[in-house]
Amino acid sequence: MRQWIWLVLLALAAAAAARWWYTVEMPRRAHEREAAAEAAAIQAERADALYRWRDDAGTLHVSDEPPKDHRYERIRKTPKDGIEVDGTR
């Protein structure tokens, strides 16, 4: 009889641990993976970007870092596939 009580208690403890794992730990890890993927995507986008702007004298500048006090345009280092036609520039 005593062995049955220990088996029931062990089964209840395993069920509680499994419930915690599937309701708390797995969603937390999924959220961490999504946040890491977003950060990696942002970092990859920034690594593929150049910044183009004009200073007060009208001189065109292109650099890896965006300027702090001027408006700028982000351009890609690697071109997109295909041909892009834009008549606004």
Side-chain angles (χ1 to χ4, degrees):
M1 182 70 171
R2 208 169 212 188
Q3 292 175 346
W4 286 102
I5 292 174
W6 284 109
L7 281 173
V8 169
L9 289 176
L10 182 63
L12 287 175
R19 183 171 192 264
W20 171 82
W21 180 264
Y22 286 111
T23 58
V24 176
E25 186 66 17
M26 284 184 71
R28 181 187 65 82
R29 288 185 180 195
H31 178 69
E32 287 176 356
R33 281 193 302 272
E34 290 172 6
E38 275 185 35
I42 290 171
Q43 186 177 8
E45 182 181 324
R46 287 186 181 162
D48 189 36
L50 292 173
Y51 301 93
R52 176 171 52 193
W53 79 95
R54 293 193 182 271
D55 62 9
D56 296 332
T59 306
L60 179 66
H61 298 273
V62 178
S63 70
D64 309 19
E65 298 291 323
K68 298 194 184 315
D69 54 351
H70 293 318
R71 291 181 55 205
Y72 60 88
E73 177 186 5
R74 181 181 294 178
I75 54 177
R76 294 177 55 150
K77 287 181 184 178
T78 57
K80 295 179 183 177
D81 292 340
I83 298 172
E84 178 182 348
V85 178
D86 186 5
T88 61
R89 291 196 247 174

